[in-house]
Amino acid sequence: MIQVNENFLQLQRNYLFAEVAQRVATFGEQHPEAKIIRLGIGDVTRPLPPAVIEALHAAADEMGRAETFRGYGPEQGYAFLREAIAAHDYRARGIDVGADEIFVNDGAKSDTGNFGDILGTQNSICLTDPIYPVYVDSNVMAGRAGTCRDGLWSRIVYAPCTAENDFVPEIPDKPVDLIYLCYPNNPTGTTLRRDELAKWVEYALQGGSLLLYDAAYEAYITEEDVPHSIYEIEGARECAVEFRSYSKTAGFTGLRCGYTVVPRGLKATTQSGERVQLNPLWHRRQCTKFNGTAYVVQRAAEAIYSEAGKAQVRANIDYYMENARIMREALTAGGLRVYGGVNAPYLWLKTPEGYGSWDFFDKLLHDHHIVSTPGVGFGPAGEGYIRLTAFGKREDCEEAMRRLRA
Ligand code: PLP
C-alpha cells in the first residue's frame, strides 16, 4: 500500500491569495467599468536592467557555440558568481564571507524551504508573527510544527510583532532550536536595528540556537543603523545562515536566482552529542537534490555587480522606494497609521477602528477599487492590518492615493 507523507495533510489551506483573487474577480464581474489597481501581490513590475539583458544575450550566444557551450555546472554555483557575491555583497561592507560559504540557488524560496532537510525533525522553532508563510509550511511538511489550533502550531513559539511592541519581537523566555528572522520584514516592512539584532545573536550563541536569517529585501535598506547582513553582528558566523535573493533586488522574480550563506564554522549536534559542520552537509544535500542554477541566469546575476549594473539596479529600487514614499505620505496625511516603507517596499497599515483585515480589504476594493493583502493572512498577529506593496507602476500608486484622498 502506498503511504503518503501525512504531514502534508496537516497543512492549513492557504486561502490568502486565492481568496483575494476570488473577491477581486467577483467585484470585477459585478463592476466591469471599475479600473482596479493591484497593490496586493509582492511582485516587481520594472523590466530587467539593461546590463542583465546584455549578459543574458552574451551567455545565450556562448551556449550556441561548441567552444563555449556549458553543460552541468557546479551545484553550488559558478565561481565567477560566488566570488562576485563575496566581494560585493560582503567584503565591500567589511563582512567576512568566503566564496566557499556561498550556495547559489534558484531563489530564496527554495532554500528557506529546503534548509530544514539537514536539521532534525525534533528541533523546536520560533517564528515572528506575521511572517512569510514558507517558514511555517515547510516545517509542517517536515513534521516539525505539531498540531494546529486557531492558526497556531503547538510546537512553534510565536513572537508577535505589532504596533504595540513597535514590531520588535520579544526574545523567547525558553530555549528554542531554530529561529526564523526576516529583515527587512515581509509583510510588515519593518526592520531591526543593529543592537536589536545583536540580542538575537547573543541569545542564539548562549542557548545553541540556529538563526535562519532571510535578507531578501536587504537592498531596500536606507537607514544607517539597520544591518544589511546578519554577519555584521559579531558572533553571527557561529549561529546563523543567511538567505539572499535577486528577485526583489534586481527584478529576478521570473528569472530565478538567489543564494544562501552557510559559514564554515557553523555547527549542529548529533543525538550522541557530536558537533557537525553544516556547510558540508548542505553541500552534500545540494549535490544530491539540486543540479545548479542555469549558466545564463548566473551570468545575468553577475552583471548586477558591474558599475552599470549597480546603477541600473539602484534606479529600479529608488523607483519602488519613491512609490513607497508617495503612498506613505498620502496615507499618513489621510489619518491612517502606516508602518514600513522606509527600508522595505511594503507598507503595513493599521485598519481603522472597527475594521478587521478582511473588512478593510473589502472597503478598499469596493469603495476605491484598490487591491491590498489582508494582514491576517500572514499570521494571527496580522489581524487588524493590511499590506500594500510599492512594486506597482508609479501612475497606479499615484492614482490609488488620489482615490483615497477623494
Ligand atoms: N523570502 C521572503 C521574505 C520573500 O518575501 C520572498 C518572496 O516574496 C522570498 C523569500 C522568495 O524569493 P525568491 O523569489 O528568491 O524565491
Side-chain angles (χ1 to χ4, degrees):
M1 200 80 93
I2 304 166
Q3 308 237 316
V4 293
N5 176 347
E6 291 192 27
N7 295 326
F8 279 64
L9 307 182
Q10 291 226 57
L11 288 166
Q12 304 297 293
R13 199 162 72 90
N14 188 349
Y15 70 100
L16 175 64
F17 288 107
E19 178 68 22
V20 166
Q22 180 60 49
R23 291 191 191 202
V24 174
T26 305
F27 177 80
E29 277 159 25
Q30 290 165 353
H31 303 89
E33 74 297 343
K35 186 181 171 293
I36 296 173
I37 297 179
R38 292 165 203 276
L39 302 178
I41 303 248
D43 197 358
V44 292
T45 53
R46 307 285 301 154
L48 287 163
V52 168
I53 297 296
E54 274 166 37
L56 280 171
H57 282 297
D61 287 343
E62 281 184 67
M63 295 297 266
R65 287 192 301 271
E67 319 82 78
T68 47
F69 168 76
R70 314 269 180 138
Y72 290 124
E75 292 88 345
Q76 61 278 14
Y78 283 98
F80 63 77
L81 180 55
R82 298 169 89 200
E83 275 155 19
I85 293 166
H88 294 274
D89 287 347
Y90 293 104
R91 271 203 306 283
R93 289 187 178 278
I95 303 168
D96 170 29
V97 166
D100 60 340
E101 298 176 309
I102 294 164
F103 295 82
V104 175
N105 59 29
D106 61 353
K109 186 186 238 183
S110 310
D111 282 8
T112 51
N114 289 332
F115 203 80
D117 272 16
I118 64 165
L119 302 168
T121 50
Q122 69 286 3
N123 284 308
S124 55
I125 300 159
C126 172
L127 291 178
T128 58
D129 172 25
I131 200 58
Y132 179 56
V134 170
Y135 315 145
V136 182
D137 286 357
S138 55
N139 279 295
V140 174
M141 290 172 180
R144 228 181 256 120
T147 50
C148 188
R149 184 188 284 181
D150 299 332
L152 298 174
W153 292 87
S154 59
R155 291 187 55 207
I156 296 182
V157 174
Y158 292 88
C161 295
T162 61
E164 282 67 44
N165 63 4
D166 221 3
F167 300 94
V168 177
E170 207 167 295
I171 296 202
D173 54 8
K174 55 182 173 187
V176 183
D177 301 313
L178 311 177
I179 300 165
Y180 289 82
L181 293 177
C182 172
Y183 289 101
N185 187 262
N186 178 18
T188 65
T190 59
T191 50
L192 289 188
R193 289 192 319 264
R194 202 166 271 107
D195 58 328
E196 291 162 341
L197 187 56
K199 289 182 192 156
W200 286 90
V201 171
E202 194 187 321
Y203 169 85
L205 288 172
Q206 271 175 9
S209 322
L210 177 65
L211 300 177
L212 297 152
Y213 193 75
D214 187 341
Y217 298 94
E218 160 279 326
Y220 288 83
I221 292 171
T222 59
E223 292 180 324
E224 267 300 305
D225 60 350
V226 177
H228 287 252
S229 164
I230 192 151
Y231 305 119
E232 289 178 36
I233 311 293
E234 206 183 324
R237 285 181 54 86
E238 275 72 58
C239 65
V241 169
E242 180 162 287
F243 304 101
R244 293 270 188 112
S245 168
Y246 295 109
S247 285
K248 310 298 162 64
T249 305
F252 276 49
T253 52
L255 210 49
R256 311 302 306 143
C257 195
Y259 63 87
T260 298
V261 178
V262 189
R264 278 180 302 272
L266 193 60
K267 291 185 178 162
T269 312
T270 65
Q271 288 198 357
S272 60
E274 191 193 340
R275 299 286 289 160
V276 176
Q277 273 181 293
L278 291 181
N279 179 300
L281 230 53
W282 182 244
H283 189 280
R284 184 74 170 84
R285 188 268 175 211
Q286 290 298 80
C287 290
T288 302
K289 290 195 178 180
F290 182 62
N291 244 344
T293 305
Y295 172 71
V296 291
V297 173
Q298 292 192 57
R299 281 293 184 200
E302 180 194 28
I304 76 163
Y305 297 110
S306 66
E307 282 314 306
K310 277 184 190 165
Q312 293 158 8
V313 161
R314 179 47 44 200
N316 280 353
I317 291 172
D318 288 348
Y319 177 94
Y320 295 132
M321 289 309 282
E322 177 63 6
N323 286 349
R325 186 193 64 77
I326 290 167
M327 295 200 294
R328 195 162 34 80
E329 289 184 2
L331 294 164
T332 308
L336 286 163
R337 277 157 66 201
V338 185
Y339 306 92
V342 175
N343 296 297
Y346 294 119
L347 300 176
W348 190 243
L349 269 64
K350 182 82 191 98
T351 57
E353 194 65 35
Y355 285 88
S357 291
W358 280 108
D359 303 327
F360 198 53
F361 168 89
D362 283 335
K363 184 168 175 58
L364 287 180
L365 179 61
H366 287 260
D367 295 358
H368 307 286
H369 311 166
I370 295 169
V371 182
S372 60
T373 309
V376 68
F378 297 99
E383 180 54 279
Y385 295 88
I386 58 147
R387 188 190 76 174
L388 293 179
T389 89
F391 286 128
K393 297 194 174 76
R394 174 69 43 79
E395 55 273 25
D396 285 347
C397 294
E398 288 174 338
E399 171 61 17
M401 295 307 109
R402 257 195 301 275
R403 288 183 193 174
L404 287 174
R405 255 196 306 271

